[in-house]
Amino acid sequence: MTDTVRMPLPVPVVVRPDADARLRALSQQIEAGFLAEMLGHAGFGAARQSFGGGAGEEQFASFLRQEQANAMVRAGGIGLAESLFNAMTGDRDAQHRK
């Protein structure tokens, strides 16, 4: 009788490119949210004193700020999304490779 040694097979590492795409999209959403808040605090979209849009303008100003922030991120943003993406993927050397 022969004794057999059972060795576990190595588990293959599965890299899902869609996971990176989702993380990048999430980091861009976070950057856009941050920029929208900063635009709000800077007074962008605030109601004007004269010839303003009234209550409707005040209610929809946040949508305008969010779309402006989304456009800023699509144009390259401020680099926050890239930093967040690198932090979420654990890529510590990304800053040194530039």
Side-chain angles (χ1 to χ4, degrees):
M1 185 171 221
T2 307
D3 291 334
T4 56
V5 176
R6 294 186 184 258
M7 297 189 64
L9 295 174
V11 177
V13 176
V14 178
V15 177
R16 298 183 336 186
D18 60 332
D20 279 352
R22 283 195 310 249
L23 283 176
R24 189 167 300 281
L26 284 173
S27 61
Q28 289 173 341
Q29 287 176 0
I30 293 170
E31 181 177 13
F34 173 78
L35 288 172
E37 283 296 314
M38 292 301 102
L39 288 171
H41 288 289
F44 182 78
R48 295 176 290 230
Q49 297 299 327
S50 60
F51 300 108
E57 183 179 10
E58 292 175 16
Q59 291 174 350
F60 290 101
S62 65
F63 293 117
L64 177 62
R65 283 191 302 269
Q66 186 62 49
E67 285 307 311
Q68 279 295 114
N70 289 339
M72 291 170 71
V73 170
R74 284 191 302 272
I78 58 173
L80 181 61
E82 189 65 25
S83 295
L84 290 170
F85 176 77
N86 290 333
M88 288 189 280
T89 57
D91 193 359
R92 293 184 199 115
D93 298 329
Q95 297 295 334
H96 301 292
R97 281 187 255 147
K98 289 183 179 181

